[in-house]
Amino acid sequence: TVSNYINGKENVNEDKIELIKQAMEELDYRPNYMAQNLKGQKRKIIGILFPNLDEPYNDIYKGLTEYLDMKSFITVLKLTHNNIVLENQFLEQLVNIGAVGIIMVSNDSKNIKKYQQIEKKGVSLVFVERKVEQESFSNILFENKDLVYDITSSLLEKDKECNIKLLLGKQEFSNERDCAEGYLAAREARQEDIIIIKEINREAIFDRIYQSIMSFEPKPEHIITSSVEFAQICAEACNILHADICIHALAGEKWYMTELQKNVIQYGRNAILMGKQAGKKMNEMLSNRNLPEKSTIYVKSKKKYGIQESNNKSYANHTIRILAYRCDATNALKKLAASFKQSYGIHVEFHELEYTKLRGQLELEFQTQSKEYDIYMLDLPWLRSVLAGNVLTDMSKKAKEDNLLSRYPRTILDAFYKGDRGVHIFPIIATTQVLLYRKDIFSNPDIKAQFMRMYGFDLSVPNTWSNFNTIAEFFDRKCNPKSPFEYGTAATALEPIGLINEFIPRQWAFYGKIVDRWGKVIIDSDENVKALENLVTTFEHIPTGTEEYFWDDIFELLLKGKIPMAHGFASHYQPGKYSLEGDTYEKYIGAVPVPGYKPMLGGWALGINKFSKHVDECYEFIKWNLNDKIAISNMRLCGCVPITTVFQDDTLKVSYPWLNMVNERIELGHLREEILDTKKQIINTEAVDKVISCGIKKAILKEENPVDALDKVKKELNKLIAGE
């Protein structure tokens, strides 16, 4: 019985399970996974053989473990230091402990026979960075040839006769050969520029590089190296020899946006993506052993980002003022504005207001044609009515000259520019509602078995709101004393914005609407009643005292392990804010579409006041924030500038699991209904929200039943439409 329980079989009585758990706890018993692995059933050990954990291997390893950990593999890392003897020893060890697969950087790529013998023992192999020259193996490689070609070409464009040297490792390795080929493709018949470093010991490498630099006459202006290790040793030698040489290095992920070391320029490669690709390939091979799955995959290098600095000194000491929403994204803009001032001489002031107060202040600004603020921050639902008021500057000409809108993904442009007959706004935040959940909890065999016994179907991430509530009930300790959580989820009753954004995706999932095509209010329909009943049920399983929480606070509960799942706007998920104590669960957080697959689209844009005296300065500030480097830095400061580069950056995806989904699924995001009054004018969204949220609040507090609450909402909306 104990064996059946430990091995995840479902034929164990609930009472016996509790006795087994109690005995295991008292005895501090842990299953011997090594013994289980050697039995050949559910083998999960993956060996990783890298030369070291310098760049790019540290980032490849990060991508590998991120993927393999979530697939419940056990990884064993060994460092070969480019030594064939150590490689052979570690390969034997991994085979002996029952490794089902090995992901490695080969030090012996010509020895096909050795690797074939390992595969005959039932061990799958995936090679990274260095290709094993045989079609029967899978390789994940960098595009080193293209990258070195681009570096060399860019240097030659500036000076066709510049003195360049290329420092490479052993040419037996494909990654080093690719670098040589890339250089010679850009500069034919210059084999004498290439210096081969065959040594593998760091002191020996230093000796070889030091002698090379010492012997160069004249000294080269540039040295291109195939690794950060070579570049750092070059820099050390140059410092000692007082040689002023610019060093170019092929790096790993290159998390930072600036050059940290004088005279050393690093070129990032998508190393985290390489790790994920290798893990994915290994998982595919283990899952489909009979398929012809082996292949070579090339991972493109990262784009080299630059920042355009202003040459216009006339901006010095100018000040622009922004009327903004008080949030993390605005805070990120404020922090980066200090850098903008250093480059352009333009000081940026922010006047921040809460959501409702901001909307009211904007109305006042537009009515009076005020010049107090130069830039307005606008919520997505407000855009159409703001654009109709003709209060923003059309920046079409400048945006076209700079090709500025090309920096956004098509999905973002489609969402924000539907009602804009020009370019009056620039998206500065774009997000959609997502469901975040604890992957480790939803895949836990004990929890899944318990759920099956209680409900008769598998526990999985909910794709309907009804299922969402069932799972929230299961994890609510009031309903299930054995739950690892006290509460099943969290939700916000913050008026009006919180309640509206809780209700609307449910309303859409149940096919409810506020008004029909003829403008008749139908908020009291059966569909809307079902949606509100569902929301009322959700609030029965949330932590007490959290009704006034915002999405930031809700996601904090998830990150700190207080709840198993929560939904909200993705951009509010900022794990860096809560990592001070090192006890958060961000590595276990997964992201999926909200139940019902009808999320609300959220976002903010910046628009330049038509009556501002500083239109050019405002445009420069907006354009500067859409620069690749600044946008990535903005994201790291808890902002969310929605340009393509941000969505594609693998260093960001490690921390923000929802990035891919926002980019791919933002087209699923829905915009709010526009309610017209009897004069066919759009009613202020804030006024509509106040009426609806008031009724929702009474329902979730059980002051009124959903039917009566929505009936009163209908009457109030009719008064609003009539102008009463």
Side-chain angles (χ1 to χ4, degrees):
T1 302
V2 172
S3 177
N4 286 338
Y5 167 71
I6 290 174
N7 287 288
K9 296 182 179 178
E10 298 178 0
N11 58 343
V12 183
N13 182 278
E14 184 76 29
D15 295 334
K16 293 282 177 63
I17 289 175
E18 293 306 312
L19 290 171
I20 293 169
K21 283 184 177 179
Q22 183 179 345
M24 289 174 70
E25 187 174 338
E26 290 174 357
L27 297 169
D28 193 27
Y29 173 79
R30 299 290 184 273
N32 188 328
Y33 291 108
M34 193 66 72
Q36 290 179 338
N37 197 61
L38 288 172
K39 282 183 178 181
Q41 297 180 6
K42 297 182 179 179
R43 294 196 298 162
K44 284 291 187 179
I45 294 178
I46 300 290
I48 300 174
L49 262 61
F50 284 174
N52 50 57
L53 284 181
D54 295 338
E55 288 192 68
Y57 304 116
N58 55 344
D59 293 317
I60 298 172
Y61 182 72
K62 187 184 297 182
L64 261 176
T65 52
E66 182 183 343
Y67 183 89
L68 294 175
D69 286 350
M70 290 303 105
K71 297 294 181 180
S72 300
F73 285 107
I74 301 166
T75 55
V76 178
L77 172 66
K78 291 287 187 179
L79 303 180
T80 65
H81 303 285
N82 283 317
N83 188 299
I84 294 175
V85 174
L86 280 177
E87 177 185 298
N88 291 337
Q89 178 185 339
F90 293 151
L91 284 171
E92 185 177 351
Q93 288 178 2
L94 291 168
V95 171
N96 288 340
I97 66 172
V100 68
I102 299 173
I103 299 170
M104 63 182 291
V105 178
S106 171
N107 304 305
D108 198 13
S109 57
K110 300 295 183 182
N111 196 344
I112 306 299
K113 186 176 179 181
K114 174 174 66 176
Y115 300 131
Q116 288 175 335
Q117 287 173 343
I118 291 172
E119 287 204 323
K120 286 179 181 178
K121 295 178 181 180
V123 182
S124 296
L125 293 175
V126 173
F127 295 95
V128 296
E129 207 212 1
R130 298 172 187 165
K131 186 176 183 180
V132 174
E133 302 290 346
Q134 185 78 5
E135 291 184 2
S136 60
F137 293 109
S138 289
N139 298 277
I140 315 293
L141 310 174
F142 289 124
E143 290 187 337
N144 289 338
K145 181 176 179 178
D146 289 353
L147 182 53
V148 173
Y149 174 86
D150 291 340
I151 295 169
T152 308
S153 297
S154 65
L155 295 176
L156 294 175
E157 282 179 11
K158 297 174 183 176
D159 180 3
K160 291 182 180 180
E161 302 302 324
C162 70
N163 189 348
I164 305 172
K165 298 297 180 185
L166 182 67
L167 261 59
L168 303 179
K170 296 165 68 173
Q171 292 298 285
E172 290 89 335
F173 300 151
S174 68
N175 59 316
E176 305 290 347
R177 290 198 306 275
D178 288 344
C179 293
E181 291 177 10
Y183 182 80
L184 294 174
R187 204 173 203 186
E188 296 180 6
R190 292 297 291 260
Q191 191 73 40
E192 69 272 14
D193 292 341
I194 302 175
I195 313 300
I196 306 300
I197 312 295
K198 294 184 178 180
E199 292 80 2
I200 62 172
N201 175 277
R202 184 162 291 187
E203 282 69 28
I205 295 171
F206 173 72
D207 188 356
R208 178 80 166 84
I209 290 178
Y210 186 90
Q211 288 188 61
S212 297
I213 295 176
M214 187 172 62
S215 66
F216 291 148
E217 284 300 336
K219 293 287 188 287
E221 291 103 335
H222 303 275
I223 294 178
I224 302 172
T225 68
S226 58
S227 69
V228 172
E229 179 187 19
F230 282 4
Q232 290 173 339
I233 293 174
C234 272
E236 175 76 355
C238 286
N239 289 339
I240 295 170
L241 292 167
H242 302 286
D244 187 14
I245 301 173
C246 185
I247 301 164
H248 305 260
L250 274 59
E253 201 59 48
K254 200 176 183 297
W255 183 91
Y256 40 89
M257 293 286 102
T258 60
E259 301 303 340
L260 303 182
Q261 194 171 351
K262 183 183 178 182
N263 285 351
V264 177
I265 301 172
Q266 296 191 19
Y267 299 82
R269 294 175 292 181
N270 284 301
I272 292 176
L273 178 59
M274 173 176 276
K276 290 179 180 178
Q277 291 273 27
K280 182 180 179 182
K281 173 59 69 175
M282 176 60 72
N283 189 50
E284 288 175 355
M285 292 171 67
L286 297 176
S287 303
N288 305 283
R289 286 186 173 272
N290 296 323
L291 296 178
E293 72 288 321
K294 297 175 183 177
S295 60
T296 295
I297 298 171
Y298 284 90
V299 177
K300 290 186 177 181
S301 299
K302 298 175 75 71
K303 177 183 174 185
K304 184 165 176 58
Y305 305 131
I307 299 178
Q308 181 180 346
E309 304 289 358
S310 173
N311 294 319
N312 192 339
K313 301 302 181 182
S314 65
Y315 291 152
N317 300 320
H318 285 195
T319 297
I320 58 176
R321 303 192 71 220
I322 301 177
L323 182 59
Y325 173 47
R326 183 175 288 121
C327 64
D328 288 332
T330 299
N331 200 31
L333 291 173
K334 286 171 61 180
K335 291 173 182 175
L336 289 168
S339 173
F340 176 73
K341 183 181 179 182
Q342 292 295 321
S343 299
Y344 286 73
I346 302 171
H347 178 64
V348 184
E349 292 181 357
F350 289 80
H351 183 202
E352 300 170 80
L353 296 174
E354 299 294 344
Y355 190 87
T356 304
K357 290 182 179 179
L358 174 62
R359 184 59 172 137
Q361 184 63 39
L362 285 169
E363 289 290 341
L364 182 62
E365 294 291 314
F366 299 154
Q367 288 172 8
T368 60
Q369 298 184 354
S370 171
K371 299 177 183 177
E372 183 174 356
Y373 299 103
D374 302 287
I375 297 177
Y376 299 125
M377 191 168 172
L378 308 163
D379 196 7
L380 185 58
W382 308 338
L383 292 184
R384 184 162 294 186
S385 60
V386 171
L387 290 170
N390 192 27
V391 292
L392 303 178
T393 306
D394 186 358
M395 303 303 300
S396 299
K397 184 178 179 181
K398 282 183 174 288
K400 186 175 181 179
E401 289 174 357
D402 294 324
N403 202 19
L404 200 58
L405 297 191
S406 67
R407 299 183 185 181
Y408 295 107
R410 172 50 54 186
T411 51
I412 303 296
L413 296 176
D414 290 344
F416 277 82
Y417 287 94
K418 284 182 177 178
D420 194 352
R421 296 182 179 179
V423 180
H424 295 83
I425 52 97
F426 297 92
I428 204 68
I429 307 172
T431 185
T432 187
Q433 290 174 315
V434 297
L435 176 67
L436 299 177
Y437 70 101
R438 283 278 298 277
K439 291 187 285 189
D440 57 325
I441 295 298
F442 276 77
S443 62
N444 184 287
D446 286 349
I447 292 173
K448 289 177 75 71
Q450 186 188 26
F451 187 88
M452 172 64 77
R453 286 190 293 271
M454 287 183 64
Y455 296 98
F457 60 94
D458 285 332
L459 173 65
S460 60
V461 184
N463 56 15
T464 68
W465 287 108
S466 298
N467 196 20
F468 179 88
N469 282 343
T470 299
I471 294 171
E473 177 187 74
F474 170 72
F475 283 114
D476 188 341
R477 204 169 290 159
K478 298 192 304 290
C479 307
N480 175 18
K482 297 173 185 176
S483 170
F485 301 95
E486 188 172 354
Y487 300 98
T489 187
T492 174
L494 197 65
E495 291 189 80
I497 185 172
L499 284 168
I500 289 296
N501 292 324
E502 292 285 353
F503 175 70
I504 294 294
R506 289 170 169 84
Q507 179 196 39
W508 290 339
F510 284 97
Y511 301 98
K513 293 175 69 69
I514 298 174
V515 296
D516 63 18
R517 61 182 295 187
W518 298 280
K520 180 183 177 183
V521 177
I522 54 171
I523 192 75
D524 59 338
S525 68
D526 290 342
E527 292 81 6
N528 286 317
V529 170
K530 289 177 181 177
L532 184 52
E533 288 173 343
N534 179 279
L535 183 58
V536 170
T537 301
T538 298
F539 271 86
E540 293 172 356
H541 305 298
I542 71 169
T544 54
T546 61
E547 291 86 356
E548 299 303 308
Y549 275 19
F550 211 51
W551 296 292
D552 308 61
D553 309 296
I554 288 173
F555 289 148
E556 180 182 359
L557 293 174
L558 180 69
L559 279 161
K560 291 187 174 180
K562 306 295 185 184
I563 54 175
M565 62 178 184
H567 87 93
F569 283 104
S571 59
H572 289 266
Y573 176 77
Q574 299 288 354
K577 292 169 60 178
Y578 313 111
S579 62
L580 186 63
E581 303 299 327
D583 57 356
T584 51
Y585 289 84
E586 61 263 30
K587 293 301 179 185
Y588 297 101
I589 304 298
V592 295
V594 294
Y597 302 102
K598 293 187 177 180
M600 289 185 69
L601 180 63
W604 291 77
L606 298 181
I608 301 173
N609 184 356
K610 186 176 181 179
F611 306 101
S612 169
K613 295 180 180 179
H614 305 293
V615 171
D616 288 343
E617 293 93 321
C618 292
Y619 175 76
E620 291 295 339
F621 176 70
I622 292 171
K623 183 173 74 170
W624 183 83
N625 275 284
L626 299 182
N627 177 276
D628 292 327
K629 275 189 177 182
I630 299 305
I632 290 175
S633 298
N634 181 289
M635 188 78 184
R636 289 172 177 161
L637 293 170
C638 298
C640 188
V641 177
I643 65 171
T644 302
T645 304
V646 167
F647 292 121
Q648 293 177 345
D649 190 274
D650 282 286
T651 64
L652 294 175
K653 292 177 187 176
V654 171
S655 298
Y656 304 102
W658 49 265
L659 266 177
N660 271 337
M661 190 181 345
V662 170
N663 187 26
E664 294 167 359
R665 295 182 175 273
I666 204 163
E667 70 273 9
L668 296 178
H670 291 245
L671 298 175
R672 296 282 305 280
E673 290 179 69
E674 292 178 343
I675 313 301
L676 305 180
D677 61 19
T678 52
K679 298 179 181 179
K680 303 302 179 183
Q681 299 293 316
I682 298 174
I683 297 175
N684 188 312
T685 305
E686 192 76 13
V688 175
D689 287 352
K690 284 181 180 179
V691 171
I692 296 176
S693 65
C694 181
I696 295 172
K697 187 73 172 281
K698 290 180 179 178
I700 63 171
L701 293 177
K702 306 292 180 72
E703 294 176 2
E704 291 182 350
N705 65 58
V707 173
D708 292 340
L710 291 179
D711 183 60
K712 291 182 179 179
V713 168
K714 179 181 180 179
K715 293 175 181 177
E716 292 300 316
L717 287 177
N718 279 323
K719 289 181 181 179
L720 201 60
I721 291 171
E724 297 178 14

